[in-house]
Amino acid sequence: MDGDGSLTVRTLRQDDWLIVEIADTGPGIPDDVRPRIFEPFFTTKPVGEGTGLGLDISYRIVVNKHHGDIRVTSTPGSTVFRVLLPLSPPEPPAG
């Protein structure tokens, strides 16, 4: 957001899910970049300014460890990340 705009965090419950939304009013994530944002080491920052591991690690923790999901929608002026976490533990595999 380059120091200007709003960052909003909100939580809600929807059925058996806890949802955490992080939204900003920045320039948005370009369409050609969005499919790659959860890839390890992917970054749009110049060399030496970031490793590109933040969203990859977040995704692995939420999805693999907690059986949740992370979703993103983005247009100029509105980017929203939604972290969905189950309120009940997953059913153990049968067998």
Side-chain angles (χ1 to χ4, degrees), residues 7-95:
L7 180 69
T8 304
V9 178
R10 86 177 184 140
T11 60
L12 61 134
R13 180 180 179 158
Q14 188 174 56
D15 301 321
D16 288 333
W17 294 91
L18 168 68
I19 302 172
V20 180
E21 291 185 345
I22 301 98
D24 73 41
T25 58
I29 303 169
D31 290 341
D32 61 326
V33 171
R34 198 169 315 129
R36 300 192 61 204
I37 62 173
F38 294 109
E39 291 178 13
F41 303 107
F42 178 76
T43 184
T44 58
K45 295 178 182 175
V47 174
E49 287 192 28
T51 59
L53 288 174
L55 288 176
D56 169 59
I57 291 171
S58 299
Y59 188 86
R60 285 188 286 143
I61 290 170
V62 169
V63 174
N64 297 339
K65 299 285 184 190
H66 297 290
H67 308 286
D69 196 12
I70 300 180
R71 301 172 185 170
V72 62
T73 57
S74 186
T75 58
S78 177
T79 296
V80 180
F81 281 84
R82 287 180 181 86
V83 178
L84 291 84
L85 296 167
L87 292 172
S88 302
E91 294 292 324

